[in-house]
Amino acid sequence: MAEIEAVEVTRSYRMDGVSVDALRGVSLTIEEGDYAAIIGPSGSGKSTLMHLLGCLDRPTTGTLLVGGRDVGTLDDSELAELRNQTIGFVFQSFQLLARTTALDNVALPLVYRGVRRAERRKRAAEALDAVNLGHRIGHKPTQMSGGEQQRVAIARALVGEPSVLLADEPTGNLDTVNGDEVMGILERLNKERGVAVVLVTHEADIAARARRIIRVRDGLIEAVAEAPEPS
Amino acid sequence: MRITESFRVAFDALRANRLRSLLTMLGVVIGVAAVVVLVAIGGGAKQLVTSEVEGLGSNIVFVVPGKFQIGTTPAVSRLQLSDADYLNRVLGRPDAVAVDLTSAEDLRAGTNTYYASVQGTTANVVDVFDRPLAEGRYVSKADIATARRVIVLGPDAAAALFPDTDPIGRQVSMSGVEFRVIGLFQAKGGAFGVSPDTEVHIPVTAAQRLFGMDNISGFAVKADTPGDVDAVGAKLVDALKQKYQGDEFTAVSQTEILGTIGKILSMLTLVLAAIAGISLLVGGVGVSNIMLVSVRERTKEIGLRKALGARQRDVLSQFLLEAVMLTSIGGVIGIGLGIGASAILSAFTPLPAVLAWWSIVLAFGVSVAVGVFFGVMPARRAGRLDPVVALRTE
Ligand SMILES: Nc1ncnc2c1ncn2[C@@H]1O[C@H](COP(=O)(O)OP(=O)(O)O)[C@@H](O)[C@H]1O
Ligand SMILES: [Mg+2]
């Protein structure tokens, strides 16, 4: 079964009575263990698509299945539960709680799953280990470099053992060295744990590392390029 | 989300903005402290007045002309001094009935003056009202029979008129008439200027001459037991009604006076507490305002929490709990302040303050309720935020 399946999905926003069609009919399947890059010009609808894939939003029309469930039929709290269980988000601007330690930042998704504190801390520590930050457990975001902060964010996306990681321009705020390290970690998680990774990027060389490149323009998928099977 | 976790998150948020949290609490702190102190003062006043009235002597029943109620002007009296003997016979107890004729007069001794409640009395007043003397003697039957111009001073009057000398044997003049001091009362204490220590007593016959009256104000009788009070009162009223056909008389017991005063003071306390409660509401509006600011400031955080799986009710309860913690911590501080202020008032001013447990419990309950009431609106706003919009805000 596919992790995510979108069929003719549209999303329009109403602004001051004018309707903006951010997505105009997108069909897309994310398989188990997938590794896809979404590229396209600014304003083409990439973030809107990511929000839909991540159950932060519902399609205006079309069908969207996440983890086998029809997103359009779920209420807000069912949607919250679904993304807590199946989706891990990584944002361009990290989105860490500033006054909270790395460990507690990483443990946050488990709070909303009702996991006990001791268990949460244990799992958060493991997730930080997996992104090579086991030694910075007690540090706060302000005491860390951008690369380290993004790795904390990845650990947070990872801690709930989701089946899909959605990363919207994860290297957008990082230099090449830190960007490469972050990409290395995402790829290792994809390979070793079989987590599907979908990322949005502007950078061609980063997109080229994915198994599939999905090109979006004006709210439509313009082209999908499959990378040759690695030999 | 677990409730302990919600508490931790709310507490961290309050701690992160320490100064703002404290200032926001201030309204609730002041309101709660005011409720506690004002109720304590009201309670203290009630206790004081109660002990005062009880201090009049137990089991006393007053008989006055007219339909008497506290707060109304007494009716014009047709009662005569000789009625005391008539009532003594009715009761079958000689010297049971004490007589009273009161007026306020200026007293003068040398250059010292004192404005006092002058009571024309009979010799048995000291027994009925339990007023022991510190020095000298009380008005005697012979004094009454001859309308002798003698006077017994309360300690306040004695201190004002004779600050440096022993008053016994000295002269006090009222309206140009000289009275010789024969005795001094022991101090009884009191408050609000209604202490028996301010009284002076003279023979009722001398008082009638001095005031130019031939009637008396009323009678006081001490019943044997508290259970007798009503029966004795009724008996006296019946006897007087028989003698003065068509006139009304009223027997008032100490319990009735206490009940009426108690009601008035309870009402006063309630009004004070309600006024203080208004400042609590104002404090609540402040909480609401700051919570709205806080929701706006933390829009991104709310978006993130939702993206990570927080449901509407998780976010709502986080912010609601924050508001409730704000007001209940404010409430606890206010209660502490109120208790402290009451203790200081009692220690350093004549104003009594008796803490009422109900006011403390109520004040805390109301602070929690204020948090819920004024926190709900901002918290719902936070809970309803669209995560996509929240995450996009800068
Ligand atoms: N909340 C919104 N309200 C109105 N218009 C929006 C909203 N979010 C996105 N849009 C519009 O939808 C289009 C796609 O935006 P987005 O998905 O952010 O593009 P991208 O991420 O590719 O830059 C843009 O024209 C944008 O202005
Ligand atoms: Mg975007």
Side-chain angles (χ1 to χ4, degrees):
Chain A
M1 183 190 70
E3 295 293 356
I4 302 177
E5 198 171 347
V7 182
E8 282 303 311
V9 164
T10 71
R11 179 70 173 95
S12 345
Y13 296 103
R14 285 213 141 276
M15 265 185 98
D16 307 323
V18 185
S19 173
V20 179
D21 297 324
L23 290 179
R24 300 190 293 151
V26 168
S27 297
L28 175 69
T29 304
I30 305 296
E31 300 292 345
E32 208 177 312
D34 214 336
Y35 181 12
I38 300 175
I39 58 171
S42 179
S44 56
K46 305 183 296 294
S47 294
T48 303
L49 180 56
M50 289 295 262
H51 291 147
L52 283 170
L53 300 181
C55 306
L56 280 172
D57 204 359
R58 292 189 193 83
T60 307
T61 64
T63 313
L64 176 63
L65 299 176
V66 175
R69 305 188 63 185
D70 186 348
V71 167
T73 65
L74 301 180
D75 68 20
D76 281 357
S77 56
E78 288 169 327
L79 220 52
E81 204 166 310
L82 182 59
R83 63 177 168 262
N84 180 271
Q85 295 288 341
T86 55
I87 308 289
F89 284 102
V90 178
F91 304 95
Q92 176 174 355
S93 51
F94 322 141
Q95 305 276 22
L96 299 175
L97 298 182
R99 278 181 282 265
T100 307
T101 61
L103 190 72
D104 286 333
N105 262 299
V106 170
L108 205 50
L110 301 179
V111 166
Y112 296 110
R113 213 182 271 189
V115 178
R116 290 188 173 284
R117 188 171 162 84
E119 174 70 14
R120 274 195 328 249
R121 302 191 134 227
K122 193 179 126 238
R123 290 216 237 154
E126 285 166 8
L128 278 167
D129 262 339
V131 297
N132 306 324
L133 282 176
H135 57 295
R136 315 239 17 203
I137 272 177
H139 290 222
K140 298 196 173 160
T142 44
Q143 299 165 314
M144 290 189 258
S145 73
E148 286 169 329
Q149 289 187 52
Q150 193 60 303
R151 277 148 65 195
V152 172
I154 292 172
R156 181 181 62 193
L158 186 70
V159 75
E161 299 185 337
S163 40
V164 182
L165 275 185
L166 299 177
D168 196 344
E169 308 202 27
T171 60
N173 286 10
L174 301 177
D175 60 29
T176 322
V177 177
N178 278 306
D180 274 347
E181 178 157 21
V182 162
M183 286 310 299
I185 288 170
L186 287 176
E187 281 164 8
R188 179 159 54 78
L189 293 172
N190 175 250
K191 212 166 276 159
E192 291 176 3
R193 304 197 181 192
V195 188
V197 172
V198 180
L199 61 89
V200 169
T201 183
H202 271 119
E203 295 160 73
D205 53 333
I206 286 183
R209 296 160 74 149
R211 226 169 289 146
R212 264 192 314 159
I213 299 175
I214 300 162
R215 185 182 299 275
V216 179
R217 179 184 285 275
D218 287 340
L220 289 169
I221 292 181
E222 193 181 47
V224 178
E226 303 273 344
E229 283 295 316
S231 49
Chain B
M1 183 153 83
R2 289 162 180 280
I3 189 72
T4 51
E5 194 57 33
S6 309
F7 269 104
R8 204 195 314 273
V9 171
F11 190 71
D12 284 347
L14 295 183
R15 224 180 29 184
N17 268 311
R18 241 170 249 144
L19 184 62
R20 182 204 279 181
S21 301
L22 275 175
L23 288 175
T24 310
M25 273 178 209
L26 207 56
V28 177
V29 170
I30 291 170
V32 166
V35 168
V36 171
V37 171
L38 289 175
V39 169
I41 290 173
K46 190 167 164 183
Q47 197 180 72
L48 191 81
V49 171
T50 303
S51 71
E52 185 108 328
V53 173
E54 275 170 354
L56 288 175
S58 43
N59 309 347
I60 292 176
V61 57
F62 300 90
V63 179
V64 291
K67 278 239 167 275
F68 176 77
Q69 268 182 316
I70 287 181
T72 62
T73 351
V76 175
S77 174
R78 293 211 282 148
L79 293 171
Q80 298 296 308
L81 185 53
S82 58
D83 291 334
D85 288 330
Y86 166 62
L87 293 179
N88 278 331
R89 280 197 303 280
V90 168
L91 291 175
R93 282 163 52 195
D95 291 335
V97 178
V99 166
D100 176 48
L101 175 61
T102 302
S103 176
E105 299 285 333
D106 270 316
L107 278 61
R108 181 181 299 277
T111 55
N112 298 323
T113 58
Y114 188 71
Y115 187 67
S117 154
V118 179
Q119 310 210 333
T121 62
T122 44
N124 54 355
V125 161
V126 264
D127 303 321
V128 172
F129 286 101
D130 186 23
R131 298 289 305 271
L133 294 192
E135 216 182 313
R137 65 173 181 86
Y138 193 66
V139 171
S140 69
K141 283 187 176 175
D143 294 334
I144 306 225
T146 57
R148 197 172 285 154
R149 294 194 294 274
V150 290
I151 187 165
V152 179
L153 302 179
D156 289 1
L161 293 170
F162 301 101
D164 310 313
T165 49
D166 182 0
I168 300 285
R170 303 204 169 256
Q171 300 289 326
V172 172
S173 74
M174 286 183 277
S175 314
V177 182
E178 297 272 317
F179 283 75
R180 185 166 51 86
V181 179
I182 54 167
L184 298 177
F185 284 122
Q186 282 180 17
K188 270 207 148 176
F192 309 124
V194 287
S195 161
D197 294 350
T198 62
E199 293 172 4
V200 303
H201 289 198
I202 60 177
V204 63
T205 44
Q208 284 179 328
R209 276 188 204 169
L210 183 70
F211 305 153
M213 297 174 173
D214 56 2
N215 61 351
I216 57 161
S217 320
F219 302 106
V221 177
K222 192 178 196 171
D224 287 333
T225 66
D228 288 344
V229 167
D230 289 343
V232 168
K235 208 168 176 179
L236 296 179
V237 167
D238 283 348
L240 288 173
K241 275 185 177 168
Q242 240 167 45
K243 185 165 176 188
Y244 298 97
Q245 297 280 336
D247 279 16
E248 283 287 349
F249 297 93
T250 313
V252 192
S253 69
Q254 194 179 288
T255 331
E256 286 169 320
I257 297 177
L258 275 181
T260 309
I261 295 176
K263 252 186 239 160
I264 293 170
L265 285 173
S266 296
M267 193 101 89
L268 194 75
T269 306
L270 223 64
V271 170
L272 288 177
I275 291 171
I278 291 174
S279 64
L280 252 175
L281 283 187
V282 175
V285 174
V287 169
S288 207
N289 191 21
I290 288 297
M291 290 310 296
L292 279 177
V293 171
S294 179
V295 168
R296 172 161 299 191
E297 275 181 1
R298 284 149 69 192
T299 299
K300 249 190 140 131
E301 175 194 328
I302 295 165
L304 172 75
R305 287 179 183 273
K306 286 198 151 183
L308 299 183
R311 287 155 302 182
Q312 192 162 323
R313 67 162 180 273
D314 292 323
V315 175
L316 186 146
S317 63
Q318 177 188 331
F319 279 86
L320 189 58
L321 202 62
E322 210 174 302
V324 171
M325 271 173 92
L326 207 55
T327 58
S328 45
I329 292 173
V332 169
I333 296 174
I335 287 169
L337 268 180
I339 291 175
S342 302
I344 290 172
L345 271 179
S346 296
F348 296 108
T349 73
L351 213 60
V354 178
L355 286 173
W357 286 110
W358 65 263
S359 77
I360 291 172
V361 172
L362 182 79
F364 184 74
V366 170
S367 4
V368 172
V370 161
V372 173
F373 186 78
F374 289 98
V376 149
M377 191 261 286
R380 286 174 71 142
R381 184 170 285 195
R384 287 211 193 115
L385 276 177
D386 179 347
V388 173
V389 175
L391 279 170
R392 276 184 199 264
T393 53
E394 276 313 320

